[in-house]
Amino acid sequence: MNQKSRVIKKILLTLVLVYAVPAVALTAYKFLRPKTISSGELNYVLAWDSSGVKREGKAWVFGTNLGYTVRLTLGFINGYGLQLMSCPHSHSWLESLLAGLKVASGSVLAGHSQGQDPAALQINTIQNLLELQTANFTAVTVHEPNYCQGYFVATRATPNSKNLNAAMAGKSIFLRGTYTKNGVTKAFSLSSQNAFGDAHKLFDLNGQVHVGISAGPIRVKFTQHLKGLFDNLEFKTDSAFTRSMTVLRNFNNQISVGMLSGKVHPT
């Protein structure tokens, strides 16, 4: 065998290794891939709970932990996004080997999404706190095997925000009303351009849970609670910034995330 033939055989062997091995590995993956990597539907519901707050006409009346009576006569908040956050996990050695491998069509393997998380839903909707409404959204398709937390974020309204009004232009929250303490009543208004978001544990009727992809869809409800909205707020001495951030923090911290359907397991 001459030198030229040996060089040609080496080139052919290299080509086989470069193109055939990934193809074989991908074929094996289709048969051996872990059952936890799949796709499923996720439905979000955004609801309200007004328990613990009194209604007077069209206004809400709050009693705060600092002794104020707050009468809310106008209120809006821009709910921007909802999301279930996947549990920390590691993929199998085969998934890790193939994680960066793209098939001819250019799509990546399930469980390794790129760009925006498929579980993230941008709602960008201004909600009227005096006219509470439950909202259901179109299902999204998700890929991670298990989800451990729900995330809600409020941001300032944009020209594309649903239900945009003059009071909320460029704001994440706008509230107006009166507060009373020691027999003295004064008017107030507060607003913010700041965003605020946080993660929340998942619960069902039996306690804290995680939820996993299965043949049935996941349905999850984010409930926004009015009670405690003005707690820890000192109207007389807090700065405008502190007052608005206190309310934003109260609002987000009291959101609860409940599983309505889906394959759940205790934490």
Side-chain angles (χ1 to χ4, degrees):
M1 184 182 296
N2 57 40
Q3 181 69 25
K4 184 176 181 181
S5 297
R6 285 196 294 270
V7 171
I8 291 174
K9 286 189 175 183
K10 287 181 179 180
I11 292 174
L12 291 175
L13 179 59
T14 300
L15 291 174
V16 168
L17 292 174
V18 169
Y19 291 101
V21 171
V24 171
L26 186 58
T27 301
Y29 174 82
K30 292 179 180 178
F31 290 99
L32 301 176
R33 63 181 177 180
K35 294 181 180 179
T36 54
I37 297 300
S38 57
S39 296
E41 284 195 344
L42 171 55
N43 290 268
Y44 290 112
V45 179
L46 185 60
W48 288 93
D49 176 18
S50 61
S51 60
V53 182
K54 296 180 181 179
R55 190 80 173 188
E56 288 187 1
K58 293 184 177 181
W60 290 113
V61 179
F62 302 75
T64 81
N65 62 342
L66 297 184
Y68 288 94
T69 299
V70 180
R71 192 170 189 272
L72 182 67
T73 57
L74 188 66
F76 301 99
I77 188 164
N78 187 46
Y80 184 79
L82 305 172
Q83 179 177 355
L84 283 192
M85 300 174 66
S86 60
C87 303
H89 67 283
S90 59
H91 294 288
S92 71
W93 66 269
L94 187 56
E95 290 176 89
S96 299
L97 176 66
L98 299 174
L101 180 64
K102 294 186 179 182
V103 296
S105 65
S107 62
V108 297
L109 298 175
H112 300 277
S113 58
Q114 295 180 330
Q116 178 176 309
D117 190 325
L121 180 66
Q122 183 186 110
I123 60 173
N124 199 20
T125 300
I126 295 173
Q127 302 178 90
N128 188 337
L129 275 63
L130 278 300
E131 298 176 5
L132 305 181
Q133 296 183 353
T134 297
N136 293 271
F137 302 97
T138 302
V140 297
T141 301
V142 294
H143 311 293
E144 292 295 344
N146 292 290
Y147 292 86
C148 292
Q149 294 179 305
Y151 185 84
F152 175 94
V153 62
T155 66
R156 63 182 178 179
T158 69
N160 297 323
S161 296
K162 297 177 184 177
N163 307 326
L164 183 64
N165 57 68
M168 280 293 289
K171 300 181 181 69
S172 56
I173 191 169
F174 179 84
L175 305 176
R176 178 184 293 164
T178 62
Y179 65 87
T180 302
K181 191 173 185 179
N182 299 326
V184 178
T185 299
K186 293 186 178 181
F188 79 90
S189 67
L190 65 83
S191 64
S192 178
Q193 296 181 347
N194 294 302
F196 198 96
D198 206 353
H200 308 274
K201 297 175 181 178
L202 309 182
F203 290 88
D204 70 0
L205 295 177
N206 297 314
Q208 186 180 344
V209 296
H210 294 166
V211 62
I213 290 176
S214 64
I218 298 170
R219 194 159 182 260
V220 57
K221 180 168 73 172
F222 283 70
T223 302
Q224 304 160 107
H225 300 266
L226 286 181
K227 184 179 179 181
L229 186 64
F230 296 98
D231 280 357
N232 303 311
L233 194 159
E234 182 54 77
F235 282 94
K236 296 180 179 180
T237 57
D238 286 346
S239 67
F241 174 81
T242 298
R243 286 189 291 174
S244 63
M245 290 306 297
T246 297
V247 171
L248 273 175
R249 187 178 298 107
N250 287 343
F251 179 81
N252 207 306
N253 287 348
Q254 292 165 151
I255 287 174
S256 59
V257 185
M259 302 310 307
L260 301 178
S261 67
K263 181 181 179 182
V264 300
H265 51 88
T267 58

